[in-house]
Amino acid sequence: MQSTELDTQQFLNSLNTALVMVDNRLNIVYANHAGEALFETGRKQLCGHRLDDFFLPGNIDTTRLRAALRHGEDFTENEIRLCFRDNRNVMVDLTVTNLQLEEGARLLFEVKKIDQQKRISRENLQNAQHYAARELVRGLAHEIKNPLGGIRGAAQLLEKELSEEHKEFTQMIIEQSDRLRNLVDRLLGPNSLPRFNWSNVHQALEQVRSLMRVDSETPITIIRDYDPSIPPLMIDADMIQQAVLNIVRNSIQALTESETPDPQIRLVTRIERQMTIQGNRHALIAKIKVIDNGPGIPSEIKDTLFYPMVSSKQNGSGLGLSISQTLINHHGGKIDVESHPGHTEFVIYIPIDRKETDNDE
């Protein structure tokens, strides 16, 4: 019997579908591994607590659940959004089944995250668009740089033939040529290969936090919520720092320009299990979240947010997020974003490789 129960537990824990069971008081009594991942906490922190304790007020219709318990009704809802108290939003298909066990009436929730399928489709589309945009930009950039160098050189030669009073015009040509060249170089993005080393990702985040505390003129609260269990990662720490820095600067600009009351940015790290990125399956993924309570991303630029020269900021160049995307792509990772008024969340996913030790055989 014990062997059968163990096999059942292993089977339930191997499912991608989140299973969560509650008793007649709507207290959680069971969750499989996918259920724990859905709540982003362990079974000990789940069992014994009320189901609606984990969600924003009004997100869980407890009246309907109690009615389902009384009448023994099952029901299914498609494409509903679960809003957790930590401001996570998950789109799911939900099936609720009544069970009559020796311990009494139970409700079993089968939760299938449909965000993942949409995310994979969106990721494939983003990768194709990002590649196409990069190739287009690279082609245009090289076409611009060649005549630009000629213009600058001609201005320098012309300057030698002009009187002092007219040299200001050639200087203007040279300065504007240099400005355009710098812009083109930024459009081309990082041209150096990453230098990978085993690094603690939190050190890079702390560097970002320190820079923002010094640079930002607006008093913005930066909250840290780190997972200390994340192991050292094989990364280029400088590239990760730059990628996060670009995102944080965008958040600060959005908070400042919108004059958001009590502006906050949260830096959060977590571990994600069993995730596919760029067609590769990874057992462990490090997640870096940059969350702000600003006005949200305008709907008209959501689909092109990572394109070069796309920005909703008054003085934005639209290159920061594109560069961040390229830097994270160098690490075999990706960037996702979810945004609505009052909550914008950028999530950087970086695969976790196993660090070999001297004791490994």
Side-chain angles (χ1 to χ4, degrees):
M1 182 65 179
Q2 290 181 348
S3 176
T4 303
E5 290 180 355
L6 182 61
D7 291 342
T8 302
Q9 285 292 335
Q10 290 178 340
F11 170 73
L12 294 176
N13 284 329
S14 69
L15 297 176
N16 288 325
T17 301
L19 300 178
V20 180
M21 187 183 296
V22 300
D23 60 18
N24 56 3
R25 295 183 178 179
L26 301 184
N27 292 327
I28 298 173
V29 295
Y30 171 79
N32 67 350
H33 285 172
E36 295 173 24
L38 175 68
F39 284 83
E40 292 193 352
T41 189
R43 190 176 302 179
K44 290 183 180 179
Q45 287 73 38
L46 287 172
C47 292
H49 293 274
R50 286 176 54 86
L51 179 68
D52 54 351
D53 285 347
F54 297 91
F55 299 93
L56 292 177
N59 186 235
I60 299 297
D61 189 350
T62 55
T63 302
R64 182 178 185 184
L65 296 180
R66 290 194 179 94
L69 277 167
R70 286 196 304 271
H71 304 297
E73 296 175 346
D74 304 336
F75 63 89
T76 298
E77 291 190 4
N78 295 319
E79 295 191 6
I80 66 170
R81 184 166 293 281
L82 299 179
C83 302
F84 292 85
R85 287 191 181 270
D86 60 1
N87 286 319
R88 285 186 301 120
N89 282 260
V90 182
M91 185 74 73
V92 302
D93 289 340
L94 174 66
T95 299
V96 179
T97 306
N98 265 272
L99 299 176
Q100 295 298 325
L101 304 180
E102 293 180 0
E103 298 86 354
R106 299 286 188 265
L107 286 180
L108 178 65
F109 296 85
E110 299 175 60
V111 186
K112 296 181 180 179
K113 295 172 67 173
I114 59 177
D115 296 70
Q116 187 171 2
Q117 293 302 320
K118 289 185 175 181
R119 189 178 293 122
I120 291 173
S121 298
R122 187 172 62 210
E123 177 189 343
N124 292 334
L125 178 61
Q126 281 181 349
N127 285 339
Q129 291 176 336
H130 185 68
Y131 177 78
R134 296 298 304 168
E135 290 304 304
L136 175 62
V137 167
R138 286 180 187 277
L140 287 173
H142 286 297
E143 289 298 319
I144 293 171
K145 287 181 76 172
N146 291 332
L148 201 58
I151 293 171
R152 191 184 193 282
Q156 288 178 313
L157 291 174
L158 180 61
E159 186 176 42
K160 296 177 181 180
E161 306 296 327
L162 296 178
S163 61
E164 287 297 327
E165 60 180 322
H166 292 118
K167 284 185 178 181
E168 63 173 303
F169 300 111
T170 53
Q171 279 299 313
M172 187 181 301
I173 295 173
I174 292 170
E175 288 172 3
Q176 292 304 309
S177 296
D178 289 341
R179 186 184 68 83
L180 286 174
R181 185 180 181 87
N182 289 335
L183 176 60
V184 169
D185 287 338
R186 291 182 65 196
L187 277 171
L188 288 171
N191 53 16
S192 60
L193 294 175
R195 292 175 292 181
F196 291 110
N197 288 293
W198 292 107
S199 303
N200 185 331
V201 71
H202 297 127
Q203 292 179 351
L205 297 185
E206 283 300 284
Q207 288 288 338
V208 171
R209 190 176 72 92
S210 298
L211 284 171
M212 289 300 93
R213 289 176 64 185
V214 173
D215 289 351
S216 178
E217 298 179 358
T218 305
I220 295 175
T221 303
I222 299 181
I223 302 170
R224 294 171 291 176
D225 182 2
Y226 298 159
D227 182 351
S229 71
I230 295 178
L233 306 180
M234 179 58 78
I235 57 175
D236 183 320
D238 290 338
M239 283 191 172
I240 297 300
Q241 178 181 325
Q242 186 62 54
V244 176
L245 186 62
N246 290 346
I247 295 172
V248 171
R249 279 177 172 157
N250 267 25
S251 295
I252 288 177
Q253 284 182 322
L255 292 167
T256 302
E257 291 179 7
S258 64
E259 298 182 353
T260 300
D262 188 25
Q264 293 184 357
I265 294 176
R266 295 175 59 212
L267 299 177
V268 181
T269 59
R270 292 291 185 270
I271 286 180
E272 180 89 4
R273 301 179 186 275
Q274 300 300 330
M275 188 172 186
T276 300
I277 300 179
Q278 300 180 17
N280 298 315
R281 188 74 172 175
H282 301 279
L284 290 176
I285 296 286
K287 293 195 299 186
I288 303 171
K289 300 181 182 181
V290 179
I291 306 169
D292 69 60
N293 61 341
I297 298 168
S299 57
E300 61 268 19
I301 68 168
K302 275 187 178 180
D303 294 335
T304 56
L305 192 61
F306 292 97
Y307 280 16
M309 311 303 289
V310 173
S311 177
S312 62
K313 309 297 184 301
Q314 291 180 3
N315 299 312
S317 66
L319 295 175
L321 292 180
S322 177
I323 291 172
S324 292
Q325 181 87 297
T326 300
L327 294 173
I328 298 303
N329 282 348
H330 282 329
H331 291 76
K334 67 173 185 176
I335 305 177
D336 273 345
V337 59
E338 293 290 338
S339 181
H340 54 268
H343 182 88
T344 295
E345 180 174 327
F346 284 87
V347 186
I348 297 174
Y349 297 90
I350 303 173
I352 298 177
D353 295 320
R354 183 172 178 267
K355 184 175 183 180
E356 302 294 336
T357 66
D358 296 337
N359 297 325
D360 289 339
E361 296 182 355

